[in-house]
PDB file of all heavy atoms in Angstrom:
ATOM      1  N   PHE A 130      27.954  10.307  17.769  1.00 97.00           N
ATOM      2  CA  PHE A 130      27.081  11.061  16.867  1.00 97.00           C
ATOM      3  C   PHE A 130      27.649  12.432  16.518  1.00 97.00           C
ATOM      4  O   PHE A 130      27.065  13.160  15.722  1.00 97.00           O
ATOM      5  CB  PHE A 130      25.687  11.200  17.485  1.00 97.00           C
ATOM      6  CG  PHE A 130      24.981   9.884  17.603  1.00 97.00           C
ATOM      7  CD1 PHE A 130      25.150   9.089  18.730  1.00 97.00           C
ATOM      8  CD2 PHE A 130      24.180   9.413  16.579  1.00 97.00           C
ATOM      9  CE1 PHE A 130      24.529   7.854  18.832  1.00 97.00           C
ATOM     10  CE2 PHE A 130      23.551   8.184  16.666  1.00 97.00           C
ATOM     11  CZ  PHE A 130      23.725   7.399  17.797  1.00 97.00           C
ATOM     12  N   ALA A 131      28.800  12.769  17.090  1.00 96.00           N
ATOM     13  CA  ALA A 131      29.488  14.002  16.711  1.00 96.00           C
ATOM     14  C   ALA A 131      30.309  13.819  15.444  1.00 96.00           C
ATOM     15  O   ALA A 131      30.725  14.806  14.826  1.00 96.00           O
ATOM     16  CB  ALA A 131      30.383  14.481  17.849  1.00 96.00           C
ATOM     17  N   VAL A 132      30.558  12.558  15.066  1.00 96.00           N
ATOM     18  CA  VAL A 132      31.362  12.295  13.864  1.00 96.00           C
ATOM     19  C   VAL A 132      30.600  11.474  12.828  1.00 96.00           C
ATOM     20  O   VAL A 132      31.090  11.235  11.734  1.00 96.00           O
ATOM     21  CB  VAL A 132      32.681  11.586  14.216  1.00 96.00           C
ATOM     22  CG1 VAL A 132      33.587  12.504  15.008  1.00 96.00           C
ATOM     23  CG2 VAL A 132      32.425  10.290  14.981  1.00 96.00           C
ATOM     24  N   SER A 133      29.398  11.025  13.153  1.00 97.00           N
ATOM     25  CA  SER A 133      28.565  10.293  12.206  1.00 97.00           C
ATOM     26  C   SER A 133      27.107  10.447  12.628  1.00 97.00           C
ATOM     27  O   SER A 133      26.793  10.318  13.810  1.00 97.00           O
ATOM     28  CB  SER A 133      28.932   8.807  12.187  1.00 97.00           C
ATOM     29  OG  SER A 133      27.995   8.070  11.418  1.00 97.00           O
ATOM     30  N   ARG A 134      26.239  10.705  11.649  1.00 96.00           N
ATOM     31  CA  ARG A 134      24.824  10.782  11.991  1.00 96.00           C
ATOM     32  C   ARG A 134      24.218   9.389  12.169  1.00 96.00           C
ATOM     33  O   ARG A 134      23.126   9.262  12.718  1.00 96.00           O
ATOM     34  CB  ARG A 134      24.057  11.539  10.893  1.00 96.00           C
ATOM     35  CG  ARG A 134      24.481  12.977  10.706  1.00 96.00           C
ATOM     36  CD  ARG A 134      23.382  13.842  10.094  1.00 96.00           C
ATOM     37  NE  ARG A 134      22.832  13.333   8.861  1.00 96.00           N
ATOM     38  CZ  ARG A 134      23.261  13.644   7.630  1.00 96.00           C
ATOM     39  NH1 ARG A 134      24.311  14.449   7.485  1.00 96.00           N
ATOM     40  NH2 ARG A 134      22.671  13.159   6.558  1.00 96.00           N
ATOM     41  N   ASN A 135      24.930   8.366  11.702  1.00 97.00           N
ATOM     42  CA  ASN A 135      24.391   7.001  11.746  1.00 97.00           C
ATOM     43  C   ASN A 135      25.441   5.986  12.198  1.00 97.00           C
ATOM     44  O   ASN A 135      25.716   5.009  11.494  1.00 97.00           O
ATOM     45  CB  ASN A 135      23.872   6.615  10.355  1.00 97.00           C
ATOM     46  CG  ASN A 135      22.772   7.530   9.866  1.00 97.00           C
ATOM     47  OD1 ASN A 135      21.624   7.423  10.293  1.00 97.00           O
ATOM     48  ND2 ASN A 135      23.108   8.428   8.963  1.00 97.00           N
ATOM     49  N   PRO A 136      26.040   6.176  13.370  1.00 98.00           N
ATOM     50  CA  PRO A 136      27.110   5.253  13.779  1.00 98.00           C
ATOM     51  C   PRO A 136      26.624   3.824  14.024  1.00 98.00           C
ATOM     52  O   PRO A 136      27.408   2.879  13.860  1.00 98.00           O
ATOM     53  CB  PRO A 136      27.651   5.892  15.059  1.00 98.00           C
ATOM     54  CG  PRO A 136      26.518   6.716  15.588  1.00 98.00           C
ATOM     55  CD  PRO A 136      25.816   7.234  14.370  1.00 98.00           C
ATOM     56  N   VAL A 137      25.369   3.645  14.413  1.00 98.00           N
ATOM     57  CA  VAL A 137      24.855   2.282  14.584  1.00 98.00           C
ATOM     58  C   VAL A 137      24.876   1.553  13.244  1.00 98.00           C
ATOM     59  O   VAL A 137      25.332   0.407  13.141  1.00 98.00           O
ATOM     60  CB  VAL A 137      23.427   2.294  15.169  1.00 98.00           C
ATOM     61  CG1 VAL A 137      22.868   0.870  15.224  1.00 98.00           C
ATOM     62  CG2 VAL A 137      23.416   2.906  16.563  1.00 98.00           C
ATOM     63  N   PHE A 138      24.389   2.225  12.199  1.00 98.00           N
ATOM     64  CA  PHE A 138      24.387   1.612  10.877  1.00 98.00           C
ATOM     65  C   PHE A 138      25.809   1.391  10.354  1.00 98.00           C
ATOM     66  O   PHE A 138      26.083   0.397   9.690  1.00 98.00           O
ATOM     67  CB  PHE A 138      23.603   2.471   9.892  1.00 98.00           C
ATOM     68  CG  PHE A 138      22.113   2.430  10.088  1.00 98.00           C
ATOM     69  CD1 PHE A 138      21.325   3.523   9.773  1.00 98.00           C
ATOM     70  CD2 PHE A 138      21.497   1.298  10.581  1.00 98.00           C
ATOM     71  CE1 PHE A 138      19.950   3.491   9.933  1.00 98.00           C
ATOM     72  CE2 PHE A 138      20.118   1.247  10.758  1.00 98.00           C
ATOM     73  CZ  PHE A 138      19.347   2.344  10.433  1.00 98.00           C
ATOM     74  N   VAL A 139      26.704   2.332  10.633  1.00 98.00           N
ATOM     75  CA  VAL A 139      28.106   2.161  10.222  1.00 98.00           C
ATOM     76  C   VAL A 139      28.686   0.899  10.869  1.00 98.00           C
ATOM     77  O   VAL A 139      29.345   0.090  10.215  1.00 98.00           O
ATOM     78  CB  VAL A 139      28.949   3.399  10.596  1.00 98.00           C
ATOM     79  CG1 VAL A 139      30.438   3.111  10.402  1.00 98.00           C
ATOM     80  CG2 VAL A 139      28.535   4.598   9.747  1.00 98.00           C
ATOM     81  N   GLY A 140      28.419   0.727  12.161  1.00 98.00           N
ATOM     82  CA  GLY A 140      28.899  -0.459  12.859  1.00 98.00           C
ATOM     83  C   GLY A 140      28.307  -1.740  12.298  1.00 98.00           C
ATOM     84  O   GLY A 140      29.013  -2.742  12.105  1.00 98.00           O
ATOM     85  N   GLN A 141      27.018  -1.731  12.021  1.00 98.00           N
ATOM     86  CA  GLN A 141      26.379  -2.915  11.452  1.00 98.00           C
ATOM     87  C   GLN A 141      26.953  -3.252  10.084  1.00 98.00           C
ATOM     88  O   GLN A 141      27.165  -4.431   9.758  1.00 98.00           O
ATOM     89  CB  GLN A 141      24.870  -2.693  11.355  1.00 98.00           C
ATOM     90  CG  GLN A 141      24.168  -2.653  12.696  1.00 98.00           C
ATOM     91  CD  GLN A 141      22.688  -2.331  12.574  1.00 98.00           C
ATOM     92  OE1 GLN A 141      22.201  -1.925  11.511  1.00 98.00           O
ATOM     93  NE2 GLN A 141      21.954  -2.507  13.658  1.00 98.00           N
TER      94      GLN A 141
END
Side-chain angles (χ1 to χ4, degrees):
F130 294 88
V132 293
S133 171
R134 297 205 307 268
N135 300 283
V137 175
F138 287 150
V139 170
Q141 291 176 348

